[in-house]
Amino acid sequence: MSAPGYFADNSMARRVMSKRAVGLTYGQRALVVGAVHPLLYVGTAENTEHRLTPYARLALTGKLFEAVFLGSKAEADLALAFTHKKHGKVRGALPEDAGSHYPAGTGYSAADPHLMFMTMAFTFDSAEVMYDLLVRRLTDGEREALYQDYVRWAELFGMPREAAPGSYPLFRKYFDTYLGSDELFLTDEARLVGSYLAGQRVPYPQRMPLQQVTSAFFLLVQGSLPPRIRDMYGMRWGIPEQLAYRTLAQAVRAAHIAPPLVPPVLRGTLAGPSAPVYKLVSRREHELARTGRPSMPGVDPRNWAARNSA
């Protein structure tokens, strides 16, 4: 029996986050959608050590999140301590205007309760969407329980509980209103990075069959995005893309709903931590870097301060 963690084995957090279909898609989707929040995007981009290796950052983030959701308390505490140390340095101000709500000089901090909540909101929303899409639709009670687990998760990272709406319906009303508001704004860099993360831009196609796997992965991420977000990125999305997306999503869902029909060699891949898979992606990114090829061509490796200090 594994050592107990902050979330019980039967908690909705563990049940949802242990599904690899969720673990391998929710993080990338959350980053693509979350890039529309200028303070979150710029605050992260200006203070990260992984501007040249964004997939390595995604892999690290996935590992830290899974340690808290799925690991023992000891493993979770190590992840939380590491994150608190990193976040203690994240503060600054927008160097340029980022829409009408975020003029140059608007401050940000990783310790800001509202920004903590928004980070949780994008993450929770993506986990909920991908589970509904690829595993099965949650019941109202399960949805509420999952939301409360995510609030607890955010609390462990330092968010005050009062920073989040008290119930799932209140959260959904707030978040959907936000996604429909004029607060959303993509900086030029956020649009470029998000287009890579969503597979809209693929600089170095992989060989078969990995190319098919990554194409399918990107199709699921793109199809799960709110139409407005796809429009903000200028993604092409028509009837052929929608049909391919729905067919693929239904096939993944069928594998979860009728596991006896799934070959035993594949059945064991449906659940478990996703961090090892992310590690493979980051390893490829480091291999590209060693040969002088950036994983996201066009993204300046320097932050704004470095670019404008000369």
Side-chain angles (χ1 to χ4, degrees):
M1 181 179 295
S2 60
Y6 283 101
F7 298 95
D9 288 343
N10 63 348
S11 67
M12 284 308 302
R14 289 183 71 95
R15 289 163 61 184
V16 169
M17 300 312 298
S18 65
K19 297 296 186 183
R20 285 207 174 99
V22 177
L24 293 176
T25 54
Y26 88 105
Q28 213 137 336
R29 182 188 185 276
L31 289 176
V32 173
V33 181
V36 302
H37 196 300
L39 295 182
L40 289 181
Y41 179 82
V42 174
T44 300
E46 290 295 293
N47 293 276
T48 184
E49 299 172 359
H50 294 284
R51 287 185 71 89
L52 282 176
T53 52
Y55 288 102
R57 178 169 65 86
L58 178 62
L60 175 60
T61 302
K63 181 179 179 180
L64 294 171
F65 285 6
E66 284 194 340
V68 179
F69 277 127
L70 306 179
S72 66
K73 285 187 178 180
E75 292 168 331
D77 286 342
L78 285 175
L80 292 168
F82 177 87
T83 305
H84 290 320
K85 182 178 179 180
K86 291 292 184 181
H87 282 182
K89 306 173 185 177
V90 178
R91 60 175 60 88
L94 293 181
E96 299 176 303
D97 290 344
S100 59
H101 286 264
Y102 301 102
T106 302
Y108 60 79
S109 168
D112 183 321
H114 181 67
L115 293 183
M116 289 183 182
F117 161 67
M118 290 305 295
T119 299
M120 178 224 116
F122 288 117
T123 309
F124 165 72
D125 174 70
S126 287
E128 176 194 18
V129 166
M130 300 316 291
Y131 191 88
D132 276 346
L133 176 68
L134 300 176
V135 182
R136 65 171 177 81
R137 188 160 182 81
L138 294 162
T139 67
D140 290 346
E142 290 172 335
R143 211 172 297 278
E144 181 66 44
L146 179 63
Y147 173 70
Q148 295 300 336
D149 279 349
Y150 257 88
V151 173
R152 172 56 177 151
W153 172 78
E155 282 187 286
L156 291 171
F157 280 100
M159 184 197 79
R161 175 168 281 270
E162 59 270 20
S167 68
Y168 173 79
L170 291 176
F171 163 81
R172 183 46 61 192
K173 181 179 180 180
Y174 174 88
F175 193 66
D176 287 349
T177 299
Y178 167 77
L179 290 180
S181 74
D182 62 353
E183 285 190 50
L184 278 58
F185 184 86
L186 280 173
T187 66
D188 290 341
E189 182 179 291
R191 181 177 289 103
L192 180 59
V193 171
S195 69
Y196 280 119
L197 289 172
Q200 184 184 13
R201 296 170 183 259
V202 181
Y204 314 112
Q206 297 185 347
R207 297 177 179 177
M208 296 294 185
L210 283 179
Q211 183 174 343
Q212 291 178 310
V213 173
T214 55
S215 295
F217 172 85
F218 287 138
L219 181 65
L220 291 173
V221 172
Q222 290 182 23
S224 71
L225 297 174
R228 185 186 179 192
I229 301 298
R230 284 200 298 265
D231 290 343
M232 290 179 71
Y233 281 102
M235 294 180 185
R236 184 183 67 182
W237 195 261
I239 293 177
E241 289 81 11
Q242 181 68 14
L243 288 175
Y245 158 68
R246 295 308 308 181
T247 300
L248 178 59
Q250 288 169 7
V252 176
R253 177 192 278 250
H256 290 87
I257 294 176
L261 303 180
V262 179
V265 69
L266 296 178
R267 203 175 303 158
T269 68
L270 296 178
S274 300
V277 181
Y278 278 124
K279 188 175 181 180
L280 293 176
V281 177
S282 64
R283 184 182 303 165
R284 180 171 185 265
E285 184 176 59
H286 285 295
E287 291 172 353
L288 289 172
R290 282 196 294 270
T291 59
R293 293 178 293 171
S295 61
M296 295 184 178
V299 177
D300 198 310
R302 303 165 297 171
N303 61 19
W304 191 93
R307 294 196 301 269
N308 292 273
S309 62

